[in-house]
Amino acid sequence: MNTHPRQLPIPEPAVNDARALELLRVWAVGGKQHVSIATNVWHDPAEWGIMLVDLVKHIANAYEQTTELTRADALRRLKEGFDVEWKTPTDEPTGNC
């Protein structure tokens, strides 16, 4: 059940699985990102890296399905954005657990 009018729907498999766990929630508010992270899911941060690469591939698939970009072009642009932000951050995340 969504509690905010601009909240994305929960994927059907997660709705029907009592063991499903939300990993990450990201909101754009006032030009900034606000996040909630399930920090106790994986002990090794590398597992978050694997999840993030999988997420990027989902994003590229969505661009291919909804725009004129190919999956390869979307992946290339996503990586370019990642590399630029990694090298020259536009923001320094803050917050607490």
Side-chain angles (χ1 to χ4, degrees):
M1 173 167 79
N2 294 349
T3 59
H4 192 283
R6 290 177 296 280
Q7 180 177 328
L8 295 171
I10 298 171
E12 193 65 34
V15 170
N16 297 318
D17 186 340
R19 297 175 302 152
L21 173 68
E22 186 171 30
L23 301 174
L24 177 69
R25 184 172 286 216
V26 182
W27 285 83
V29 181
K32 295 187 178 264
Q33 288 182 11
H34 297 267
V35 302
S36 297
I37 304 168
T39 57
N40 60 344
V41 175
W42 296 304
H43 187 67
D44 184 352
E47 295 183 73
W48 281 98
I50 293 167
M51 184 277 299
L52 290 170
V53 169
D54 290 346
L55 178 61
V56 165
K57 291 176 181 179
H58 283 291
I59 294 168
N61 289 346
Y63 269 92
E64 183 174 56
Q65 293 169 19
T66 61
T67 73
E68 294 184 14
L69 285 176
T70 66
R71 182 177 190 267
D73 287 340
L75 284 170
R76 180 181 51 76
R77 288 294 295 148
L78 284 158
K79 178 136 181 2
E80 287 172 1
F82 183 89
D83 290 343
V84 168
E85 184 66 19
W86 192 270
K87 207 178 271 188
T88 310
T90 58
D91 192 15
E92 189 61 39
T94 60
N96 51 39
C97 298

